[in-house]
Amino acid sequence: MQFTFWGVRGSIAVPGPSTVRYGGNTTCIEVRGDNNELVILDAGTGIFQLAQTLFAEFPIDINIFISHTHWDHIQGLPMFTPMFVPGNNINLYGARDIVENRSVKDVLSRQMEYSYFPLRENELKSNMHYFDIQDQQDVQIGSIKVSNFLLNHPVLNFGYRLECGGKTVVFTGDHEWPLNIYAEGDPEYSDYQAFLDLRRQQTLDFFRGADALIIDTAYADSEYPSRQGWGHGSFDASIRAARDAGVKKAFLTHHEPTRSDDQLEQVFEQALKRNGVCSSDPAFFLAQEGVQIEV
Ligand SMILES: [Zn+2]
Ligand SMILES: [Zn+2]
């Protein structure tokens, strides 16, 4: 199995000289199975560049798994050119929005309403199939088994675990390690903490032993206290999780859009040092647009 980063930036695309090394596009990862099956994780603006590389494979089967429907994870979809070409089969998987009671088909259709886009969803020429997937429902894409796990974010967010030929890649989508909502000393505190501890164990089990963990690490730890509850991880939290789950490599992603490449490297180096990361730990990397990883 191999994967390629096409978008590693969080929240909004930020092209420009200060982000040219790690990339300015929002979340999109191409995964290829052992039989060249194509799975795309999230459809941020990075999916547009990915699309330009697919023409030689038309007609093609494409399987897009959406972690959640915040703009930065779906904004590239209407411009995903394979959707406009007859003969292509495109399967789109994601969680149903249980608050607004919307299917995953609405994710695309609403982005292509008259006010926002020149073409309607029903004008797409490829064979489009939409799948509302349930919590912990497995999907088999040829040689790749895709499992999901609900992670903590201010909308339903699935993390995905892809297993193929004995190798495993895990992608969190957006995720913040949940905090106790009760103050220490509150009668509810310990029960809630026990629930959080269990949830953490289950999440680590979902990550367990991955050859590559791609994990939301939006915030520097100095930024995190003022952004608690916004739904994103920090460097210290991601390093701890990768260690506790015994993953081989961890790719930190969803880079904060205001951070330049130089600042990103600085925050990363400081975090490795502060956490005493050594050779017996997982190997840590900053996710970088255009980089292909073989697992
Ligand atoms: Zn995001
Ligand atoms: Zn989000």
Side-chain angles (χ1 to χ4, degrees), residues 43-155:
T45 62
I47 202 171
F48 182 72
Q49 291 302 334
L50 163 59
Q52 311 314 307
T53 69
L54 299 176
F55 289 89
E57 296 179 65
F58 286 1
I60 186 173
D61 291 339
I62 301 175
N63 304 281
I64 304 174
F65 286 76
I66 302 291
S67 66
H68 67 300
T69 53
H70 285 162
W71 284 121
D72 52 324
H73 299 257
I74 61 168
Q75 204 156 17
L77 262 183
M79 292 296 291
F80 187 54
T81 34
M83 296 193 307
F84 299 94
V85 180
N88 290 333
N89 282 308
I90 300 182
N91 302 317
L92 190 76
Y93 299 85
R96 187 177 184 83
D97 179 343
I98 52 173
V99 175
E100 303 287 348
N101 195 26
R102 287 177 188 154
S103 70
V104 74
K105 185 174 184 181
D106 282 352
V107 171
L108 183 57
S109 307
R110 284 174 180 264
Q111 280 188 301
M112 300 181 83
E113 284 177 356
Y114 177 78
S115 306
Y116 308 115
F117 202 71
L119 293 172
R120 309 286 80 77
E121 190 277 336
N122 60 16
E123 293 176 78
L124 296 174
K125 295 284 191 289
S126 62
N127 304 312
M128 298 292 300
H129 307 280
Y130 300 90
F131 300 93
D132 292 347
I133 48 173
Q134 307 294 318
D135 186 19
Q136 301 187 47
Q137 176 188 344
D138 293 347
V139 180
Q140 194 75 36
I141 307 291
S143 64
I144 308 176
K145 185 178 98 173
V146 183
S147 331
N148 70 63
F149 190 75
L150 207 51
L151 294 172
N152 181 51
H153 196 56
V155 70

Side-chain angles (χ1 to χ4, degrees), residues 3 74 182 194:
F3 64 92
I74 61 168
Y182 299 101

Side-chain angles (χ1 to χ4, degrees), residues 227-244:
R227 299 177 189 189
Q228 281 182 7
W230 292 12
H232 297 289
S234 72
F235 284 78
D236 286 4
S238 291
I239 290 171
R240 204 175 325 128
R243 279 173 166 163
D244 290 351

